[in-house]
Amino acid sequence: MATADSKYEIIIGLEVHAQLNTESKIFCGCSTEYGAPPNSQVCPICLGMPGVLPVLNKRVVDYAMKMAFAVGAEIHRHSIFARKNYFYPDLPKGYQISQYEFPLSEGGSIKIETDGRTKKIGITRIHIEEDAGKSIHPEERDIDYTLVDFNRCGVPLIEIVSKPDMRSPQEAYAYLTKLKQILVYLEICTGDMEKGALRCDANVSVRLRGQKEFGVKTEVKNMNSFKGVEKALSYEIKRQMEIIESGGKVVQQTLLWDEHAGVSHIMRTKEESDDYRYFPEPDLMVLAITDDWKNSIRASLPELPDEKIERFVRQYNIPHYDASVLCNDKYTADYYERLASIYMDYKKASNWVMGEVFRELKEKRLSITDFPITPEMLAELLKMIDNKTISGSIGKEVFAEMVSTGNKASVIIKEKGLEQISDSGLIKKEIEAVIGENPDNLKKYLNGKEKLFGFFVGQVMKRTKGKANPQEVNKILKDKLDALKVSSK
Ligand SMILES: [Zn+2]
């Protein structure tokens, strides 16, 4: 629908739940570790037994404040926990402790980049809440029960609510990517969407261009990957446009995205907004944040992605593109910096990280933190290429060998006899052999077919198994052929 695309404006707002990676839960001492046997990390508090009281985990507030600072939000001196009442099998208390009218923070924004253009996406609020458990529905159809795992009950979350500032699924994707990047940089959330550490719901509507009021919005849930978010939103936008184009009306609904089928299903149609009967949580005090507390958190903030990119460009004099690729992930940035501290050709270092290192990581499905080649090992290899112990192309082979064996470059080069041949006497001998073996090509070359120069270089490299120093080969070969040219005239 090319016409509809330009006729309508897309409005997207995202609500993101991020699990905070504190060691213990938000209101009790139970472990938050992922993947433990079902119901092995529970206690009377997170199971909602009568007569127990929640005690707030201070670190949860520390982490939430870090995020608020990172997006430039205002942190309120006082915020209030509220009960959100609803019944669900994985919510043993029958309510979730969240924040409602008085959240931890409001305001702020996140800078995103799409198609080379930057844009700020506003943040409405960030509040603290507890996670619910997990219902496990057996896959077999004839089993008519559902199991519940309460391990996740009481795992701390922050909910980050954006303004309806995104105008395309691509912007939503970029926003989510940036949000994850910040969370990971802050080391407060793993950002792992597949494991549910980051979850996203979207509010979507379309309106005619130029129209002031928003169209009726729908909510899309159950998007379990970054790409899934982009696909689900594209699907929903198209669906809404088609309804309007055919004279219908979009109904306020909640839809569940089905990743496998690539379609969404209606979960419920809202007659009116949900009534959660929020009220202030009587078991918890007002959360009061002193200036000292705030200042100590502000002082503990690490360098964030945007700042790091700018510094990389400044400090290492590498292109903005390189800096943003390297800083995409904090640990890659750390790797590059360690490399750059011992190997001073910064651009070459960035080429190698973005090229060879990334290729090996992708092939071996490794993350940079598990990569067997340390920056020190890579620096040794690069220095051996620079001082011409080996050629650049052999260097790439050695690197692959380093990855598969875990050995140092110098060990591999010695073992395999890969040292570059720079001895001009040896190279001269090889050149003479090549020329002697190819009289026809030599004749053609001397008669003006200069393109054949590359052929001779290639033959010499072949005879030396790629070990001959290419600059030397070029130089000596040129001299030799020039001499032959003169003598043949
Ligand atoms: Zn517990």
Side-chain angles (χ1 to χ4, degrees):
M1 290 182 41
T3 50
D5 270 354
S6 44
K7 200 165 139 192
Y8 295 99
E9 188 181 24
I10 298 159
I11 315 284
I12 300 168
L14 295 183
E15 290 169 12
V16 174
H17 285 91
Q19 256 180 11
L20 300 179
N21 55 10
T22 54
E23 281 174 43
S24 58
K25 293 185 179 179
I26 182 169
F27 299 124
C28 62
C30 292
S31 167
T32 57
E33 206 171 309
Y34 183 84
N39 300 310
S40 63
Q41 293 171 168
V42 291
C43 74
I45 295 172
C46 53
L47 286 175
M49 301 284 188
V52 296
L53 288 173
V55 177
L56 179 62
N57 179 346
K58 177 175 174 285
R59 187 150 296 169
V60 171
V61 184
D62 290 348
Y63 284 11
M65 275 203 270
K66 282 188 183 194
M67 189 59 186
F69 274 125
V71 301
E74 187 201 342
I75 295 172
H76 294 311
R77 186 172 288 274
H78 294 110
S79 64
I80 296 178
F81 286 98
R83 283 190 186 180
K84 181 180 182 181
N85 296 280
Y86 65 98
F87 176 77
Y88 216 72
D90 58 21
L91 191 72
K93 291 203 293 279
Y95 60 84
Q96 178 189 24
I97 301 179
S98 180
Q99 293 187 312
Y100 187 52
E101 284 168 292
F102 304 97
L104 176 84
S105 85
E106 287 177 274
S109 65
I110 284 178
K111 210 170 83 186
I112 60 163
E113 214 178 294
T114 46
D115 301 328
R117 284 209 316 268
T118 54
K119 176 177 174 178
K120 269 186 179 175
I121 306 297
I123 305 285
T124 305
R125 57 187 272 150
I126 298 174
H127 69 251
I128 300 170
E129 61 185 31
E130 59 178 338
D131 209 342
K134 229 192 285 184
S135 297
I136 301 155
H137 310 287
E139 278 177 26
E140 296 87 347
R141 280 173 191 278
D142 52 342
I143 294 180
D144 58 355
Y145 59 79
T146 288
L147 299 166
V148 190
D149 179 5
F150 290 121
N151 281 353
R152 206 175 67 180
C153 267
V155 168
L157 299 173
I158 46 174
E159 180 171 343
I160 304 145
V161 183
S162 86
K163 290 190 173 153
D165 284 351
M166 285 156 269
R167 293 291 171 270
S168 69
Q170 293 71 35
E171 286 188 4
Y173 180 86
Y175 169 82
L176 210 53
T177 306
K178 190 63 174 281
L179 199 67
K180 174 187 166 172
Q181 206 181 53
I182 295 170
L183 289 163
V184 174
Y185 264 73
L186 293 171
E187 295 180 328
I188 60 172
C189 170
T190 62
D192 193 336
M193 244 184 144
E194 276 74 22
K195 288 184 182 163
L198 201 65
R199 306 197 285 273
C200 167
D201 299 332
N203 288 303
V204 188
S205 65
V206 298
R207 66 178 170 196
L208 286 170
R209 268 183 208 285
Q211 183 180 308
K212 259 207 160 155
E213 50 295 353
F214 288 122
V216 174
K217 69 178 177 190
T218 58
E219 194 180 4
V220 187
K221 285 179 176 284
N222 199 38
M223 299 170 288
N224 301 320
S225 68
F226 284 78
K227 277 287 159 203
V229 171
E230 208 176 343
K231 270 195 265 174
L233 293 177
S234 300
Y235 179 88
E236 177 55 15
I237 289 155
K238 187 160 175 275
R239 192 187 70 91
Q240 290 190 11
M241 285 181 185
E242 279 170 359
I243 290 174
I244 298 170
E245 282 292 293
S246 63
K249 270 192 176 147
V250 175
V251 182
Q252 195 181 336
Q253 282 169 330
T254 301
L255 301 128
L256 281 186
W257 173 246
D258 182 337
E259 180 97 50
H260 285 290
V263 296
S264 56
H265 305 291
I266 295 164
M267 183 175 134
R268 59 170 178 260
T269 298
K270 283 182 188 171
E271 300 289 313
E272 54 205 273
S273 67
D274 291 314
D275 182 9
Y276 291 118
R277 293 174 293 126
Y278 280 100
F279 62 83
E281 167 59 61
D283 290 342
L284 287 165
M285 312 263 271
V286 168
L287 175 57
I289 293 171
T290 61
D291 287 341
D292 282 352
W293 189 1
K294 242 162 77 169
N295 291 338
S296 75
I297 294 297
R298 197 196 334 245
S300 76
L301 285 185
E303 185 180 38
L304 291 166
D306 290 343
E307 300 160 15
K308 204 185 270 292
I309 290 169
E310 272 176 41
R311 180 171 62 80
F312 272 29
V313 171
R314 237 181 13 246
Q315 186 173 341
Y316 302 115
N317 198 24
I318 53 174
H320 181 84
Y321 173 81
D322 291 37
S324 57
V325 171
L326 294 169
C327 296
N328 218 341
D329 167 69
K330 177 183 182 296
Y331 303 104
T332 306
D334 289 347
Y335 186 95
Y336 176 76
E337 285 218 89
R338 259 172 66 201
L339 178 60
S341 72
I342 45 177
Y343 180 73
M344 308 303 163
D345 188 340
Y346 303 135
K347 176 60 182 146
K348 198 171 191 181
S350 104
N351 288 348
W352 269 77
V353 174
M354 295 193 304
E356 301 308 307
V357 174
F358 279 11
R359 176 160 43 241
E360 291 290 344
L361 291 177
K362 202 175 165 195
E363 235 168 63
K364 305 267 181 331
R365 292 164 185 265
L366 286 173
S367 71
I368 190 109
T369 46
D370 304 323
F371 195 48
I373 311 306
T374 61
E376 290 73 18
M377 289 165 80
L378 180 54
E380 186 203 29
L381 171 69
L382 297 181
K383 284 174 188 166
M384 291 180 89
I385 297 172
D386 289 351
N387 69 21
K388 302 196 164 49
T389 306
I390 52 168
S391 67
S393 57
I394 294 266
K396 288 181 184 175
E397 273 174 47
V398 172
F399 183 71
E401 186 77 14
M402 287 165 72
V403 177
S404 55
T405 62
N407 282 338
K408 283 169 61 176
S410 49
V411 173
I412 293 168
I413 292 165
K414 206 164 176 194
E415 257 178 25
K416 300 208 151 190
L418 295 171
E419 286 97 342
Q420 180 157 264
I421 301 169
S422 294
D423 178 336
S424 57
L426 267 175
I427 292 174
K428 217 177 250 168
K429 243 166 87 184
E430 299 293 347
I431 287 174
E432 272 158 14
V434 167
I435 289 174
E437 283 167 6
N438 295 281
D440 293 350
N441 278 337
L442 178 65
K443 212 167 155 190
K444 285 184 200 157
Y445 178 85
L446 295 177
N447 285 333
K449 202 168 175 197
E450 302 215 333
K451 264 203 255 167
L452 281 169
F453 188 79
F455 164 80
F456 290 111
V457 173
Q459 290 300 308
V460 175
M461 295 312 282
K462 209 167 149 191
R463 284 180 67 98
T464 58
K465 299 195 174 69
K467 291 190 288 180
N469 178 335
Q471 284 85 25
E472 284 293 303
V473 172
N474 272 289
K475 199 174 134 270
I476 299 171
L477 181 67
K478 185 88 179 41
D479 290 349
K480 178 81 189 166
L481 291 173
D482 283 351
L484 287 171
K485 221 182 236 174
V486 172
S487 64
S488 72
K489 269 179 187 166

